[in-house]
Amino acid sequence: MDAVDSLPALYRPWVRAALEGPIAPETRSDCGACPMVASEPPAISFHPKVRCCSFHPELPNFLVGAFFRNLSPAMLRGRSLLEARLLARKGVTPLGIARPPQKAAPAEEFGQRLDRRCPYYVDEGRFGCGIWAAREATCATWHCKHQRGRPGRVFWEALRKFLQVHDRALARWCLLELGVDAEQLAALEDVGFEVDPKRYEAIWGEHRFAEHRFFAACHERVAALSPAEVFAIAGPEGRMHALLLKRAEDALGVAPGDELLPATITLLKVQPESYVVQSYSPYDLLEMPKELIDVLALFDGRGTEDVVRDAEVRGISLDAETLQRLVDFGFLSAP
């Protein structure tokens, strides 16, 4: 299995071309059976009809166009949601469909408030997302829990930024490819979410009343590009984020160092035989045996082999897999 298979179809060839090999799926983060809904204190839990959809995505023109170019029944729900946005003419420009201005919510409200739920959320279906087939970079790469802990989170954050750079570049490239003229481009400068009819006419020009066909044409052109052409369009910024993505991918293969020290963790709950702790993420609490937490004090900068031997004297086995998880989840770190 390759985690890239879970991405929207348009993104997959770009990501495969940027990576060296397959990426293990995030099996602990399942949008079809949200683990955050079932969380019990002290873990954070999400509202079952909100989940991580406390986010209003900004959709580039070519992803919007996927729903107006593919007329299969599977795209019908997303198409109806996007048609409603086109009719409302709010945040709709040749660049795509923007998000409304909104005050940032406190972190503790994420996943909680119905009034901040994504407008493309649907109650039917496995994932609760009406635009799942062509969701944008943030929604495609966010995970509440990671198989590899911190290195996994860093990888997916790098992938999100990589895709966002290419989304922006391709959306602008589509304008030039479809002949958006200088007057329309000037009208697009500093355009707000609410646009008066005169300015709306100015930014759309001859494509007004045919926005869905314009978006479909954007998707058609982007879908025809090879990964090399996509990367060329993204230019130096795209190459920079490709290097950062490759660095994050390489980090997934890095073994624990020879000298390790205890890292900062937060103790949230004491149980008879274990502790519930938070390390790299507030969404991914771990229940750890007390003996394993206690042995962390042995890591004082000495060679790891010496610490492993001392732990064995205490009857605790620190095999390679356990050490890797202690580093990945932020219990141990390099000096």
Side-chain angles (χ1 to χ4, degrees), residues 57-298:
E58 187 159 344
L59 303 176
N61 47 28
F62 59 91
L63 288 184
V64 176
F67 293 90
F68 295 107
R69 189 166 170 238
N70 183 342
L71 301 181
S72 70
M75 307 292 271
L76 177 60
R77 186 66 171 118
R79 188 159 56 252
S80 64
L81 291 169
L82 293 171
E83 282 174 342
R85 298 298 298 272
L86 298 191
L87 288 172
R89 293 186 174 181
K90 292 183 179 181
V92 179
T93 77
L95 286 170
I97 300 181
R99 67 172 64 91
Q102 193 177 47
K103 282 187 176 181
E108 62 269 18
E109 292 184 1
F110 183 76
Q112 304 291 337
R113 289 176 49 175
L114 282 165
D115 62 339
R116 287 188 174 270
R117 190 171 71 177
C118 173
Y120 306 114
Y121 185 96
V122 293
D123 287 322
E124 69 269 18
R126 182 179 173 215
F127 299 114
C129 178
I131 57 169
W132 182 264
R135 62 201 185 280
E136 53 80 76
T138 299
C139 298
T141 58
W142 194 86
H143 295 277
C144 55
K145 304 177 190 296
H146 297 278
Q147 289 288 101
R148 292 291 308 278
R150 181 181 286 118
R153 183 178 67 181
V154 169
F155 170 81
W156 287 101
E157 287 177 349
L159 180 56
R160 171 175 53 83
K161 293 173 184 176
F162 169 85
L163 291 173
Q164 287 174 331
V165 164
H166 289 79
D167 281 352
R168 289 193 296 269
L170 288 164
R172 285 156 177 75
W173 175 82
C174 286
L175 301 192
L176 302 178
E177 283 292 299
L178 291 170
V180 173
D181 62 33
E183 293 302 317
Q184 289 173 259
L185 294 174
L188 268 172
E189 290 291 317
D190 302 318
V191 68
F193 186 76
E194 303 264 357
V195 182
D196 65 75
K198 187 174 181 180
R199 190 166 188 186
Y200 189 87
E201 180 179 356
I203 63 177
W204 276 102
E206 65 180 20
H207 300 289
R208 189 169 60 117
F209 303 124
E211 295 91 341
H212 63 293
R213 285 198 289 271
F214 179 88
F215 289 138
C218 291
H219 183 270
E220 183 177 13
R221 282 159 175 75
V222 171
L225 296 171
S226 68
E229 290 170 322
V230 169
F231 299 159
I233 290 167
E237 189 177 9
R239 292 198 295 274
M240 180 183 76
H241 282 280
L243 289 171
L244 293 172
L245 177 60
K246 182 61 174 63
R247 177 177 180 268
E249 181 189 17
D250 290 343
L252 292 172
V254 174
D258 188 49
E259 296 179 357
L260 298 170
L261 293 172
T264 301
I265 59 175
T266 302
L267 176 62
L268 297 177
K269 186 177 182 181
V270 178
Q271 301 178 139
E273 303 295 331
S274 63
Y275 299 114
V276 176
V277 297
Q278 175 188 320
S279 57
Y280 83 100
S281 168
Y283 302 119
D284 196 3
L285 305 188
L286 296 174
E287 184 177 344
M288 301 288 289
K290 286 184 175 180
E291 59 183 17
L292 191 56
I293 294 294
D294 293 342
V295 83
L296 296 179
L298 296 178

